[in-house]
Amino acid sequence: MSEFKVDRRTFLQMLGAAGATGAVATVRFPADMTAIAREANENRPSELWGRPFWVKAVPEVTLGMGEMTGDYQRWNPARDQFHSWSSYVGEAEAGRVSELGAKNEATWMKEGKPGFSLRDIALSNGANLVNMSNGPYGGADVGLQSWQPQPWTMGLREKAQALGVTYDVTPEEAARDVKAAARLYGSAITGITTLDTRLVYEFNGRGQAIFFEDVEAPFTDEEKCVIPSRFNRVVAIASRMSPEAFYRSPSQIGSAAADLGYSSMTWTSGMVAEFIRSLGYHAVPLKNDFCSTVAFGVLAGLGELGRTNRLVTPEYGPMVRLSVVLTDMPLALDGPIDAGIAEFCTRCKKCAESCPSGALSFEDNPSFDVPQGYEWVNAGHKAWWPDQTKCYSYWGEITTGCGICHAVCPWGKKDKAWLHDLSKTTAAATPMFDSFMRRMDDAFGYGLKNSDDEQKLWWELDLPEYGLDTTQAHKRI
Amino acid sequence: MDNKNWYARPWYEWIGWVFWLALLVLFVQSAFTSTYELEPQAALISWVVAAVLVLFAAIIWGMRAFRR
């Protein structure tokens, strides 16, 4: 019989969960306690750093969605809806959507339609500045996403070398330091996983081939991007989006929240990479045009894969944007988590019901079977498969990104009401009340605020910086 | 039961009242914070639920007083 130890932290986690969810939770507690105790005994102190007590470490991705079959290939983004939409929907449909989009844009600007007026578009443009400073999609080794140490970093390295000072810590301490730095730079949740090269695309958004080679430092040229094959760690970063702006989706205000998220991804991953380089290692900051940030996020335990085929975090739901830093720095690993999110997705389906284009799957469970003709997704793993062409056509018609599926997600609440904590704690412990909580989510009126009045009201709200309550889910301020 | 020993009731009833108090605190807190979170419908429903809970308690106490 294996030895079963419960330390103080684990005991408090168990006690808290038991108190919050009552007798019902005991249905799943024996297995969960064993899992938590096992993880705690594996000496991985960084694993659940700063996470709610009801988020559990698990050895495998929930609902088997982390398994990749032999069919899984490195992705070529030329196949995605952004690059090949017109070939998927046909020239006639592409023409119709483009014409309608142009007409809508002109009409709404002239009318000053709330959420689509000139000032709303200007809001989105401003939020996109840092993101677009690297060029539209695929900006490798440029600007804030540089792959090389900056001049002041080189100066620090030389000074440290002259003084004989090195960053000599354990991988656990290094992981803690990277996470603390990432939080300062804007990461709401940071996790670390191993670098599975299959999750890095074959080409980036600009068509440069991506190679892993036996080189000292990463570099790019006109045709290719080369990453040292010794790189074996990925720092996954979640940058938050303003909920109050994103609830206005689909509109330019909602789009501004996403754009600001992309800008935040740019500076946060760039700064984390520079922090790592300042300590004497190599680091490559990347956004979602270069690798599957969602897969890395799931494997690093930032959240679980949801019905939208996107990451859903326990703390902020899907209201995050993801970036990563690849590195050769020795860092202690995190692992997948179970907060009951994927299980909740099997019953909730609010995103699929709310999707105006009908792009999201209504299947109860995720599947390895990709629907016929879905060339825009990467087969070889289990997921709920979205029809990205329907989604992107709708974007074209309304002249901006949509985001309704994220805005309506019951996990994307603010956290001041204790009812929300109780609901999430219960969902993490048992799926028994998932359907009831979904109905309560509807009854309480959470989700979209995209009426004309709400769009206009946004400009009157006295919101905090970046439209975010940065104390959400954190214990200290 | 007279007014002097109003607390003399079975232990399981006290558990019921503790549960009632916890629910009341939960929904009153939700009512205040939902306003703060810009969720007016959630705030309204929370106030209504809290009011129903108070009404329920008032009816129980009223029935007890009438019986006396």
Side-chain angles (χ1 to χ4, degrees):
Chain A
M1 200 170 133
S2 61
E3 191 180 359
F4 181 81
K5 290 180 183 173
V6 180
D7 59 21
R8 181 175 165 273
R9 178 170 166 269
T10 306
F11 174 72
L12 287 173
Q13 283 181 331
M14 286 152 41
L15 193 67
T21 59
V24 176
T26 58
V27 174
R28 280 182 56 179
F29 265 2
D32 294 338
M33 286 195 306
T34 308
I36 291 169
R38 188 172 64 240
E39 297 297 335
N41 286 337
E42 282 179 7
N43 193 26
R44 291 157 70 181
S46 67
E47 185 138 34
L48 295 177
W49 183 81
R51 309 305 296 272
F53 72 89
W54 39 270
V55 177
K56 298 180 286 281
V58 288
E60 300 291 336
V61 176
T62 44
L63 302 188
M65 289 193 281
E67 184 188 345
M68 288 189 283
T69 68
D71 298 336
Y72 194 90
Q73 304 288 327
R74 288 178 66 191
W75 178 244
N76 181 354
R79 282 172 54 192
D80 71 25
Q81 72 277 8
F82 298 110
H83 295 86
S84 299
W85 168 71
S86 57
S87 69
Y88 290 135
V89 299
E91 290 303 322
E93 173 65 2
R96 183 195 70 79
V97 170
S98 299
E99 198 176 316
L100 179 59
K103 186 181 159 196
N104 283 341
E105 185 176 46
T107 307
W108 295 343
M109 278 181 73
K110 281 182 193 166
E111 289 175 353
K113 181 179 167 64
F116 296 88
S117 67
L118 181 60
R119 73 169 175 177
D120 299 310
I121 299 171
L123 182 76
S124 176
N125 270 9
N128 216 359
L129 177 66
V130 177
N131 177 43
M132 298 298 273
S133 67
N134 285 11
Y137 303 105
D141 193 12
V142 61
L144 296 175
Q145 295 270 289
S146 173
W147 292 14
Q148 314 303 329
Q150 300 302 305
W152 57 90
T153 297
M154 292 303 293
L156 175 64
R157 281 181 170 195
E158 285 164 14
K159 190 180 288 180
Q161 195 170 10
L163 294 169
V165 176
T166 57
Y167 181 67
D168 187 18
V169 299
T170 66
E172 286 75 19
E173 290 167 331
R176 177 205 59 203
D177 292 351
V178 166
K179 289 177 184 180
R183 178 68 59 76
L184 179 69
Y185 304 149
S187 173
I189 318 171
T190 311
I192 295 160
T193 186
T194 50
L195 174 53
D196 185 331
T197 55
R198 290 175 298 176
L199 297 174
V200 177
Y201 298 161
E202 200 176 356
F203 297 90
N204 68 4
R206 291 183 179 176
Q208 291 167 294
I210 303 165
F211 296 103
F212 288 88
E213 293 179 0
D214 188 18
V215 294
E216 174 58 24
F219 68 91
T220 60
D221 60 28
E222 285 297 310
E223 294 176 352
K224 65 180 181 179
C225 303
V226 178
I227 298 167
S229 49
R230 71 172 185 286
F231 273 30
N232 62 356
R233 288 290 182 269
V234 180
V235 182
I237 295 163
S239 302
R240 289 181 64 197
M241 297 188 290
S242 168
E244 207 53 44
F246 214 79
Y247 292 151
R248 265 76 183 169
S249 297
S251 72
Q252 295 290 349
I253 296 174
S255 191
D259 293 335
L260 186 57
Y262 271 95
S263 285
S264 175
M265 283 160 59
T266 307
W267 74 64
T268 303
S269 59
M271 289 174 180
V272 170
E274 200 61 26
F275 172 73
I276 291 172
R277 287 192 289 257
S278 297
L279 295 171
Y281 299 95
H282 294 87
V284 168
L286 299 173
K287 294 190 283 188
N288 54 342
D289 45 21
F290 210 96
C291 61
S292 179
T293 53
V294 173
F296 282 133
V298 170
L299 293 169
L302 303 188
E304 296 178 57
L305 194 62
R307 177 172 292 276
T308 54
N309 205 21
R310 306 292 188 273
L311 183 97
V312 181
T313 67
E315 297 93 334
Y316 316 106
M319 300 287 201
V320 294
R321 294 284 164 190
L322 303 174
S323 57
V324 299
V325 175
L326 314 185
T327 183
D328 55 357
M329 186 181 195
L331 295 168
L333 292 169
D334 297 306
I337 59 163
D338 182 0
I341 296 168
E343 190 79 50
F344 190 88
C345 285
T346 64
R347 295 169 185 79
C348 172
K349 302 182 182 178
K350 190 167 184 174
C351 53
E353 290 167 13
S354 306
C355 177
S357 64
L360 297 178
S361 168
F362 278 91
E363 294 292 330
D364 287 342
N365 292 299
S367 168
F368 283 104
D369 301 325
V370 176
Q372 187 84 22
Y374 277 33
E375 293 295 320
W376 48 85
V377 296
N378 203 2
H381 68 109
K382 200 189 258 189
W384 283 284
W385 302 106
D387 187 338
Q388 295 289 170
T389 57
K390 286 183 181 172
C391 175
Y392 200 60
S393 292
Y394 185 69
W395 286 26
E397 290 175 13
I398 59 167
T399 73
T400 183
C402 177
I404 287 176
C405 54
H406 284 33
V408 300
C409 179
W411 290 87
K413 302 278 182 308
K414 300 169 190 174
D415 76 339
K416 292 295 172 276
W418 295 341
L419 269 176
H420 300 161
D421 291 329
L422 183 67
S423 302
K424 289 183 175 183
T425 307
T426 306
T430 173
M432 196 178 291
F433 301 106
D434 287 357
S435 299
F436 171 74
M437 286 190 286
R438 158 66 210 277
R439 284 197 292 276
M440 288 300 100
D441 194 82
D442 292 341
F444 275 65
Y446 294 119
L448 292 177
K449 299 180 181 179
N450 59 6
S451 67
D452 285 358
D453 286 344
E454 289 284 4
Q455 304 286 4
K456 281 189 277 192
L457 179 65
W458 182 88
W459 291 91
E460 311 292 332
L461 297 174
D462 183 19
L463 295 172
E465 296 89 332
Y466 307 113
L468 292 171
D469 170 14
T470 56
T471 66
Q472 182 166 339
H474 301 312
K475 296 180 185 70
R476 298 183 186 87
I477 54 173
Chain B
M1 194 191 303
D2 60 31
N3 286 338
K4 286 179 182 172
N5 61 348
W6 60 270
Y7 49 84
R9 56 189 77 237
W11 63 269
Y12 50 83
E13 192 176 332
W14 280 115
I15 290 178
W17 284 113
V18 168
F19 185 65
W20 170 85
L21 185 63
L23 279 179
L24 186 64
V25 169
L26 194 66
F27 278 97
V28 169
Q29 195 270 352
S30 175
F32 278 111
T33 52
S34 292
T35 306
Y36 178 64
E37 290 183 338
L38 304 172
E39 298 288 358
Q41 188 172 327
L44 179 65
I45 291 175
S46 296
W47 279 124
V48 169
V49 173
V52 168
L53 284 168
V54 171
L55 191 64
F56 165 80
I59 289 170
I60 298 290
W61 281 85
M63 284 170 63
R64 291 261 165 83
F66 182 74
R67 225 185 286 159
R68 274 183 243 134

